[in-house]
Amino acid sequence: MSAADVPEREEVDEQYKWDLDSLFASDGEWEEAFEAVNERLDDLEAYEGRVTADADALEAVLETREEIMREVADVSAYARMRSDEDTADQHYQALSARAQSLSADASSAASFIEPELQQCTREELQAFVEENPALEQYEHYFDDVLRMKPHTRSSEVEELLADLSEVTGAGGEVYNMLTNADMEFPPVEKPDGSEVRPTLSNFTTLLKNRDRDFRQRVSETFYDEWAGLRNAVGTAYKNSVKADIKLARARNYDTARAASLDDANIPVGVYDNLVDTVEANLDTLHRHAELKRDVLGVDELRSWDLYTPLAEGEVEVPYEEARDHVVEAVAPLGEDYQSRVAEGLDSRWVDVYETANKRSGAYSGGTYDSQPYILMNYQDDITSMYTLAHELGHSLHSELTSETQPHVYSGYEIFVAEVASTVNEALLTEHLLETVEDEEFRRHVLDEYLERFRSTLFRQTMFADFEHRTHELAEDGEAITPDVCDEIYGDLKAEYYEPMALDDGIRREWMRIPHFYYGFYVYQYATGISAANALVDRIMEEGEPAAADYREFLSKGSREYPLELLRGAGVDMASPDPVEHAIDAYGDLVAEFESLT
């Protein structure tokens, strides 16, 4: 798609745009809601010092916080999504900035609640529950609050940390604006003589082109442009790492990694187990890379070859076709789940196509009180179809949780969220390989899922190791410079992709990974695909009983800790078994494709 081919937003039919009117019908209505909830913050602060005065006061403050936070979430979601529609629109940038400030102010206004709760013993809180049954719904929340007591500061410090949230997140915000609004790549000549301009959304799609010289031009043009932003991106990342470390130390953690994982009650051993298990089995990844080298017929595999499909030819998957495949694929999860997916796709949950200045990538959003929303940059290919299935997994997770759980448990940790999304990917693969008769399409499906395994299980684990190493260096007082990041990333790339020759561009790949600005986030993609693979195997073998356990898992939100939730669904992520099982499944897929060639 050339720069001219990327349409303006108003050129896209309404049916392919998400319906934000269900949140606020106009900016004026948003302004009214913003002012109303802003004025309510004083209602919350009025409870300071009285949180545990008695059971009724405790119920009142928790209900008031819930009402306010629900309103803040709606205001924030609308502003953020309007800004994502056109990241160069300064009006919505301003609304989004105001919403971020409001969210920080709301967190600050509520910051006294948990320190006051932590002055109680478990026995005292249990007595409040017995006195007022309305507090029963908060029992797991109380347990979590008391668990975090060693890492919660005084109400004054908590208020300060909440106020600083905008500042501590500045590195990621600068990076986002730099890459989505300001950055533009030079056009590249296509094999037919026309030109195409790489974007953050179409970069990997362009690297699937069969013309190797074109792939090289795209890769070099893309990474040369990043080289020109080397100091700006390096500074943004350095300060993001520093913010992670400062916040961790402010909360009495030894490391930023421990702080990040403890928020969801995930032992650091789970992280180490993932990295150790994957890095002990890199021979399977090397087999995939060698297979790609042989199928492409090249003497030396290069970074611009990695995304090139093993299957020859191109398979177009229009959005409507992808929609039908995804709806059919989720049938093993039950009729209700399937009908919800179909209805959501018909109710403008999805903002489908890439448009000028639209935020790159994809995500599932929305709030407790709204319908789910999905941002896509659909490219009419198999990868985009899988992305749609992935984001719908998140959306159904949110919808089932919101319908079943009180607001206090309506969120869920990324650790389990990435299970919900990759279960849908695995089911889509099962469905396509079972029902599609076109051999070329089937080969593309097999290749796509191999790439999903490679990029999710291995690549994200490599990212996790990179994050760990950069944070460790910074915690030891070492400088985090672009050269240091290049060296760490290049060494990891060489280890993971041993059959590939490295170039300077791929050593800079760390610069284009936005998830590095959400500290210690990416490892959960790898644990997610490992758990999802085990769950889908169980669902396909046992049928409805396993599907029912899985739906129950989705409906619990955060009422239990992540490892407990997954054990209830039938998988133990404290064990290396799910990761090893996923690597074995990946190896079987590699072997299957080897047999085809």
Side-chain angles (χ1 to χ4, degrees):
M1 181 180 288
S2 68
D5 290 333
V6 177
E8 298 296 327
R9 187 165 184 82
E10 57 269 20
E11 297 178 78
V12 176
D13 192 284
E14 289 297 310
Q15 67 177 313
Y16 300 116
K17 301 176 187 176
W18 51 23
D19 179 19
L20 297 189
D21 288 352
S22 64
L23 264 173
F24 296 103
S26 66
D27 290 357
E29 188 175 300
W30 180 89
E31 289 284 358
E32 293 176 4
F34 179 94
E35 294 300 333
V37 69
N38 192 36
E39 291 176 2
R40 289 206 62 194
L41 298 186
D42 290 341
D43 297 344
L44 194 54
E45 292 174 334
Y47 287 98
E48 187 167 4
R50 300 193 297 115
V51 172
T52 57
D54 53 51
D56 291 342
L58 179 54
E59 180 192 4
V61 70
L62 294 176
E63 286 184 349
T64 301
R65 179 178 65 176
E66 174 182 323
E67 293 168 1
I68 289 173
M69 292 305 180
R70 287 168 70 167
E71 294 169 10
V72 168
D74 288 343
V75 165
S76 298
Y78 178 88
R80 182 183 66 253
M81 289 188 286
R82 285 297 190 203
S83 178
D84 289 344
E85 291 174 353
D86 184 351
T87 58
D89 188 318
Q90 295 190 15
H91 169 68
Y92 286 117
Q93 285 182 32
L95 260 60
S96 183
R98 289 170 60 199
Q100 289 177 29
S101 294
L102 175 66
S103 182
D105 289 344
S107 296
S108 177
S111 61
F112 64 89
I113 295 176
E114 293 181 0
E116 289 190 33
L117 280 173
Q118 288 168 345
Q119 300 307 307
C120 292
T121 64
R122 294 182 184 276
E123 292 74 20
E124 288 170 334
L125 287 177
Q126 186 58 41
F128 284 146
V129 172
E130 292 172 1
E131 181 182 344
N132 184 346
L135 293 172
E136 288 180 359
Q137 65 178 321
Y138 296 103
E139 286 186 304
H140 176 69
Y141 165 72
F142 292 152
D143 180 78
D144 199 33
V145 169
L146 293 181
R147 179 182 70 84
M148 297 297 288
K149 184 174 181 177
H151 306 290
T152 305
R153 305 296 300 274
S154 68
S155 59
E156 292 82 4
V157 173
E158 287 296 326
E159 182 176 0
L160 176 62
L161 292 174
D163 283 340
L164 288 173
S165 61
E166 288 181 274
V167 178
T168 55
E173 187 175 357
V174 169
Y175 176 85
N176 182 54
M177 295 307 300
L178 181 70
T179 56
N180 284 292
D182 295 339
M183 198 172 189
E184 185 174 69
F185 297 92
V188 177
E189 184 179 351
K190 296 171 67 175
D192 63 5
S194 62
E195 289 187 338
V196 62
R197 189 182 297 277
T199 68
L200 296 178
S201 295
N202 72 11
F203 173 60
T204 55
T205 299
L206 295 178
L207 290 184
K208 294 178 182 179
N209 192 287
R210 305 304 296 186
D211 189 296
R212 197 182 193 208
D213 289 338
F214 171 69
R215 297 198 305 269
Q216 182 175 352
R217 290 196 299 272
V218 168
S219 180
E220 291 177 347
T221 298
F222 185 81
Y223 285 114
D224 284 351
E225 194 68 19
W226 283 103
L229 298 175
R230 184 173 181 76
N231 292 323
V233 175
T235 299
Y237 182 63
K238 173 190 70 176
N239 283 296
S240 181
V241 170
K242 283 186 174 181
D244 293 340
I245 294 169
K246 296 291 186 183
L247 289 171
R249 289 175 177 170
R251 295 194 178 281
N252 301 318
Y253 286 99
D254 292 334
T255 66
R257 185 178 68 150
S260 178
L261 270 64
D262 194 41
D263 190 53
N265 200 20
I266 304 294
V268 293
V270 171
Y271 196 106
D272 290 334
N273 171 68
L274 168 71
V275 174
D276 292 345
T277 304
V278 167
E279 293 186 352
N281 290 277
L282 289 177
D283 58 318
T284 310
L285 176 62
H286 297 164
R287 274 180 60 200
H288 188 190
E290 289 163 356
L291 173 64
K292 183 154 293 194
R293 180 192 62 203
D294 295 342
V295 169
L296 294 179
V298 298
D299 294 332
E300 191 174 53
L301 194 71
R302 303 300 298 264
S303 62
W304 46 82
D305 299 321
L306 278 180
Y307 289 94
T308 313
L310 291 170
E312 294 187 15
E314 295 183 6
V315 175
E316 287 193 4
V317 186
Y319 177 71
E320 284 76 10
E321 182 181 336
R323 175 207 178 283
D324 292 342
H325 280 311
V326 172
V327 171
E328 293 167 7
V330 298
L333 299 183
E335 183 178 345
D336 179 65
Y337 187 102
Q338 185 181 37
S339 64
R340 287 170 183 267
V341 169
E343 182 180 352
L345 290 169
D346 291 338
S347 302
R348 294 179 58 194
W349 284 8
V350 187
D351 204 76
V352 179
Y353 295 113
E354 179 180 8
T355 54
N357 298 316
K358 183 178 176 180
R359 174 175 168 159
S360 63
Y363 66 73
S364 172
T367 71
Y368 185 74
D369 296 301
S370 80
Q371 67 177 50
Y373 291 100
I374 296 173
L375 180 136
M376 291 280 294
N377 283 275
Y378 198 86
Q379 300 288 324
D380 282 349
D381 56 18
I382 287 178
T383 298
S384 292
M385 175 172 60
Y386 270 85
T387 301
L388 179 64
H390 180 105
E391 300 305 339
L392 281 164
H394 290 312
S395 294
L396 266 292
H397 194 179
S398 296
E399 186 168 59
L400 291 171
T401 293
S402 295
E403 289 183 2
T404 309
Q405 299 298 332
H407 181 264
V408 66
Y409 303 127
S410 61
Y412 43 79
E413 301 293 344
I414 298 300
F415 194 89
V416 294
E418 291 309 321
V419 175
S421 56
T422 44
V423 159
N424 278 14
E425 292 182 18
L427 288 172
L428 179 60
T429 303
E430 294 273 353
H431 165 73
L432 293 172
L433 292 179
E434 287 178 6
T435 62
V436 174
E437 295 182 358
D438 184 282
E439 284 302 316
E440 182 181 4
F441 193 100
R442 289 170 58 83
R443 287 166 68 89
H444 277 275
V445 168
L446 184 58
D447 179 48
E448 174 67 27
Y449 202 50
L450 270 172
E451 285 299 301
R452 291 267 158 179
F453 257 113
R454 179 187 70 80
S455 62
T456 305
L457 182 54
F458 289 92
R459 189 167 185 257
Q460 301 297 335
T461 302
M462 182 183 70
F463 288 169
D465 203 352
F466 172 80
E467 280 193 283
H468 188 201
R469 294 187 189 193
T470 55
H471 281 75
E472 276 192 323
L473 281 178
E475 285 162 345
D476 289 341
E478 300 292 331
I480 302 299
T481 66
D483 286 346
V484 167
C485 290
D486 283 356
E487 181 179 358
I488 294 172
Y489 195 87
D491 288 348
L492 283 168
K493 202 77 175 182
E495 179 184 1
Y496 272 70
Y497 293 92
E498 189 177 272
M500 183 180 76
L502 294 185
D503 58 275
D504 288 341
I506 202 62
R507 294 177 190 275
R508 293 194 292 271
E509 187 180 37
W510 62 271
M511 296 175 65
R512 78 173 186 93
I513 311 302
H515 290 93
F516 286 156
Y517 296 86
Y518 305 90
F520 300 99
Y521 179 104
V522 294
Y523 86 98
Q524 296 164 115
Y525 287 115
T527 56
I529 196 173
S530 300
N533 186 263
L535 289 170
V536 168
D537 281 354
R538 181 174 177 236
I539 290 167
M540 301 307 289
E541 290 172 6
E542 300 178 21
E544 176 55 25
D549 287 344
Y550 176 69
R551 294 193 303 271
E552 178 72 9
F553 156 76
L554 294 179
S555 69
K556 285 186 176 179
S558 57
R559 187 176 279 275
E560 297 174 6
Y561 296 117
L563 294 184
E564 295 172 2
L565 287 167
L566 285 169
R567 288 189 185 107
V571 61
D572 183 7
M573 289 307 299
S575 161
D577 292 347
V579 180
E580 291 174 348
H581 179 79
I583 293 172
D584 288 343
Y586 171 69
D588 291 342
L589 291 173
V590 173
E592 184 174 348
F593 211 104
E594 285 173 339
S595 70
L596 296 176
T597 58

